[in-house]
Amino acid sequence: MRTDLLTDPVDGLDEALGAVDAFDRALVAGLLRPQPAQAAGLAALAGAVAGTPLASLVAEAADKAAAGAAGEDHLVALAAARTALMGAVHDALTDRVADVTGRPRAEWSTPDTDTTAGDGPGANVLAAARAWLCDLARAGWHGIDHDLVAAAAPVVSAMLPDTRLRRQATLLDGFAAELAASCPGATLDRVPVRRWADLWTRALLLTLPGATPAPTPSTVTGRLLPLGVDVQEHATAVQAQVHAVLEPSDGTAPRLVRAAVSAPKPDTVVGAGLWQLLRPRMSLLGAAGEGRAMELDAMPVTAEGDLVWDDERARPGEPADAFATARVVLSAATDPVTTPLDRHPARIAVPVLLEGYGAEHEEGGTLTFTVAGHRLAVDTDRVPTAGPLTPDAVAASGACLGLLRWDAGEFVLQPLAVETTVRKKTVAVHAGAWAGGTTDKLGVRAEKAATDSVTVLRERAGKLLRA
């Protein structure tokens, strides 16, 4: 890896993010009665896309918004400009990552889609969602109140029964919940400016007709070699995403793919108990936990490299050590691409293998790896409690398999697995080691506690239903 490139400046990055930040600040006070500072932020956004096909549309939208007369189409244009800038940042950073890893990248080609998916009964409810989001932008984050936020509830309720709108409904519901927890906005000491602008922009664009056409996935057959499991946990939901290398049976080049499974959860189920909710839904978790490959037969896969997992199309294969896979195959595997609307720096999560580094804690407790004289921050906060991997094990490691991410203006490493020395023997410790079950004492206790919690909740739910 060319770790020296991780700290080199990226041309145009600061300017693009500066324009995004200026627009985001304009949303804090709202666009109903913009002040001069907000008008300057809108002008900065328009100026950043002046040399693009969006130029005239966004310039008009910025002028209207600065005068407090922005309509729905104008706000959509501003959201599109912001998305384009974040997409450009994403592309610049992924180009840099490709230079760092030296791996080939797949070329984006527009996939075949089901053109009927965006038609019909969803149009009215999407228009209602768009209107609510426009009201939010006019009020601003300091202007939100419970009445304004509550107006999203009937829209979400109307979306949920339609599976074609589940993606938009989930995003809208989560966004509204965050806003409701922060009401009234006038009393907020600190506003998550970038995050709420991200959510607002994405939600608004996803309400447009044809924004989320149903892709027609292709299929792949071959050997799947798991690299690691990324666990993302929230109070009411959990997701596990398996990163893996696919060796196609037709002899074409290996490629990086992902497979994800998610489940709703009660807030009492945490730690290793999460696997009880996820394990029955995807056999790949068991294979990843056991260090085993899987043989795929015509498994659907999207253009982005996401496997549409079907247990009927997979069977367990031979043992496959993730570090051996990384050392032998990872450098030649093709990186997947990202669909245009999903291009955002937060989406960057690239599997890499680091060896021969020194580890030390800086002021504030941040762990850093020094590789070939260059420092790389390690995000140990992302290490899940649902496995045996700990920050101490990461700090004592000699090899690390992880995801290269971009956060708060710098590249960071999220560990998925490490090799460390225990009693003079090299031992691999994986974040997803308990995914398929465990005999580890801590893991067994955690799963038992989760089982007890789930049993109690099921009993209570049964009594309520009988009542």
Side-chain angles (χ1 to χ4, degrees):
M1 280 182 57
R2 290 283 310 278
T3 52
D4 57 304
L5 297 176
L6 292 176
T7 54
D8 284 353
V10 178
D11 291 341
L13 185 69
D14 292 340
E15 291 81 357
L17 289 175
V20 169
D21 289 340
F23 172 72
D24 292 354
R25 288 192 295 271
L27 290 178
V28 175
L31 300 177
L32 187 60
R33 298 180 182 84
Q35 300 300 308
Q38 293 170 275
L42 295 166
L45 181 70
V49 297
T52 74
L54 291 172
S56 60
L57 190 65
V58 177
E60 178 187 351
D63 289 341
K64 290 289 187 180
E72 183 178 289
D73 290 344
H74 300 123
L75 294 175
V76 168
L78 294 173
R82 186 185 186 279
T83 298
L85 286 177
M86 294 304 277
V89 171
H90 169 277
D91 291 350
L93 292 172
T94 51
D95 285 344
R96 176 58 54 86
V97 170
D99 293 338
V100 169
T101 63
R103 291 200 299 259
R105 290 181 61 192
E107 295 293 331
W108 172 256
S109 59
T110 304
D112 295 331
T113 58
D114 180 0
T115 56
T116 65
D119 300 336
N124 290 338
V125 71
L126 287 175
R130 199 157 52 248
W132 178 76
L133 289 162
C134 289
D135 287 343
L136 274 185
R138 296 185 183 101
W141 312 133
H142 279 161
I144 59 173
D145 57 31
H146 288 290
D147 289 340
L148 175 58
V149 176
V155 180
V156 173
S157 297
M159 283 181 170
L160 284 173
D162 191 339
T163 56
R164 296 171 299 178
L165 302 179
R166 195 66 54 79
R167 182 184 186 187
Q168 293 95 322
T170 302
L171 174 57
L172 209 64
D173 190 35
F175 186 23
E178 284 195 24
L179 295 175
S182 302
C183 284
T187 64
L188 286 176
D189 293 329
R190 180 178 175 274
V191 176
V193 179
R194 173 73 65 82
R195 175 173 174 78
W196 282 359
D198 278 343
L199 293 173
W200 177 82
T201 303
R202 183 164 180 77
L204 185 59
L205 294 185
L206 287 180
T207 64
L208 298 177
T212 56
T216 303
S218 58
T219 59
V220 290
T221 298
R223 184 170 66 153
L224 188 69
L225 303 166
L227 293 170
V229 184
D230 178 20
V231 180
Q232 299 155 12
E233 180 184 357
H234 298 278
T236 59
V238 60
Q239 174 177 275
Q241 188 175 58
V242 180
H243 291 261
V245 175
L246 173 71
E247 294 183 324
S249 60
D250 60 7
T252 54
R255 56 188 289 195
L256 284 165
V257 294
R258 301 172 294 251
V261 58
S262 58
K265 78 173 191 70
D267 56 10
T268 54
V269 178
V270 296
L274 300 175
W275 301 119
Q276 293 187 27
L277 306 176
L278 299 170
R279 196 178 295 140
R281 299 168 181 254
M282 190 168 73
S283 60
L284 178 58
L285 290 178
E290 297 168 5
R292 187 174 295 277
M294 294 206 82
E295 300 294 334
L296 308 185
D297 182 15
M299 182 71 74
V301 63
T302 69
E304 284 191 280
D306 290 300
L307 299 172
V308 184
W309 193 262
D310 181 356
D311 277 345
E312 297 297 321
R313 299 177 183 271
R315 58 182 177 83
E318 298 295 321
D321 177 76
F323 281 93
T325 297
R327 290 181 175 116
V328 176
V329 186
L330 184 56
S331 62
T334 301
D335 284 327
V337 293
T338 305
T339 56
L341 195 57
D342 292 338
R343 290 155 55 242
H344 190 286
R347 288 290 303 269
I348 297 173
V350 182
V352 294
L353 174 67
L354 291 181
E355 298 182 280
Y357 49 79
E360 62 178 301
H361 286 92
E362 296 186 343
E363 289 185 15
T366 302
L367 178 66
T368 61
F369 287 164
T370 301
V371 189
H374 300 278
R375 293 178 177 271
L376 175 63
V378 182
D379 190 355
T380 53
D381 289 339
R382 286 183 178 265
V383 175
T385 58
L389 186 62
T390 64
D392 288 342
V394 175
S397 65
C400 181
L401 185 55
L403 299 175
L404 192 61
R405 294 184 177 274
W406 192 81
D407 185 41
E410 65 176 351
F411 284 103
V412 298
L413 181 71
Q414 175 193 343
L416 296 179
V418 299
E419 282 186 341
T420 188
T421 302
V422 178
R423 296 177 183 176
K424 299 182 179 180
K425 295 180 64 175
T426 300
V427 177
V429 185
H430 295 261
W434 297 345
T438 180
T439 58
D440 184 285
K441 291 181 180 179
L442 290 176
V444 170
R445 283 200 299 269
E447 290 227 19
K448 183 180 184 303
T451 301
D452 294 342
S453 296
V454 172
T455 300
V456 170
L457 289 170
R458 284 175 177 164
E459 289 176 354
R460 290 177 179 174
K463 290 178 181 178
L464 288 172
L465 290 172
R466 288 193 295 272

